Amino acid sequence: MIIATLLLICSIPQMDDTAKVVNDPPAVSTDGAAKESTLVASALPSAPTPKVKAEAEPITPNPAGQPFQPVKTVFTQPRETPRQRKLWYALTIAGSSGAAFDAWSTKRAVVGGYGQEGNPFLRPFAQSNAIYAATQVSPAFMDFLGKRMMVSQNRWLRKFWWVPQAAGTSMSFASGAHNVGVVH
């Protein structure tokens, strides 16, 4: 932004010096004042010739005889609405909460000896607190996928952007409820 400002300032012609030369002629009180004034007047350029013609040219109609074609609209990528953004944030919080509930109930069931982790990717983390971070990977991916679907070029994907987040959230809460049921 600073570079653009400097370029803009440098490209403006400096009119200060030109105005001083024209407005402040040298004051001479000698006998050669008339001679110098003619030299100053001859040093100045003559006025430019006008570019406007005195005769008006007739306006010619469109040679094809057809009306002008409308300008093609600029292609823009679909954007999210404020309502969609609020709903996306709500689903993000719900998905992360569901994953945390699933992690808590899974750790409680595994440590209590009521069962084992069914997901082979999460099995190494099941008996430690690392399960809380490991279970947040899936909701983060679903949030990313939902956001990409929300601004997709495909109309059907834009219509069902909320499905990945809602499905992930419901699976996390269902798994957590199952684990709590196993413990009790």
Side-chain angles (χ1 to χ4, degrees):
M1 184 184 244
I2 294 172
I3 294 172
T5 305
L6 289 174
L7 288 174
L8 181 65
I9 290 172
C10 292
S11 67
I12 296 173
Q14 301 298 323
M15 300 301 273
D16 297 337
D17 299 331
T18 318
K20 287 180 185 175
V21 170
V22 174
N23 291 336
D24 297 331
V28 179
S29 62
T30 62
D31 294 328
K35 194 189 315 181
E36 286 186 22
S37 65
T38 57
L39 289 175
V40 171
S42 65
L44 294 175
S46 61
T49 58
K51 294 183 179 180
V52 180
K53 295 180 182 178
E55 304 93 29
E57 295 179 12
I59 299 174
T60 57
N62 189 358
Q66 298 176 357
F68 291 106
Q69 296 296 322
V71 177
K72 201 171 168 183
T73 58
V74 177
F75 183 71
T76 58
Q77 186 172 356
R79 296 181 183 257
E80 63 186 19
T81 63
R83 181 174 180 262
Q84 286 176 328
R85 183 179 298 129
K86 290 174 187 174
L87 189 57
W88 183 83
Y89 279 126
L91 286 170
T92 299
I93 292 169
S96 294
S97 300
F101 173 61
D102 182 26
W104 172 78
S105 63
T106 299
K107 183 177 176 192
R108 186 172 168 213
V110 170
V111 170
Y114 295 103
Q116 64 178 1
E117 173 62 52
N119 187 345
F121 295 114
L122 293 177
R123 198 170 291 145
F125 308 108
Q127 294 192 9
S128 68
N129 286 336
I131 193 166
Y132 294 108
T135 57
Q136 294 300 321
V137 172
S138 177
F141 177 73
M142 293 300 174
D143 296 339
F144 173 76
L145 184 62
K147 184 70 133 182
R148 294 288 297 189
M149 288 174 67
M150 186 187 307
V151 295
S152 173
Q153 300 293 332
N154 189 331
R155 191 182 78 191
W156 286 99
L157 288 179
R158 278 194 318 270
K159 200 173 208 178
F160 296 109
W161 65 266
W162 51 271
V163 171
Q165 288 177 296
T169 301
S170 62
M171 289 302 295
S172 293
F173 277 114
S175 298
H178 170 75
N179 293 337
V180 169
V182 168
V183 171
H184 286 124

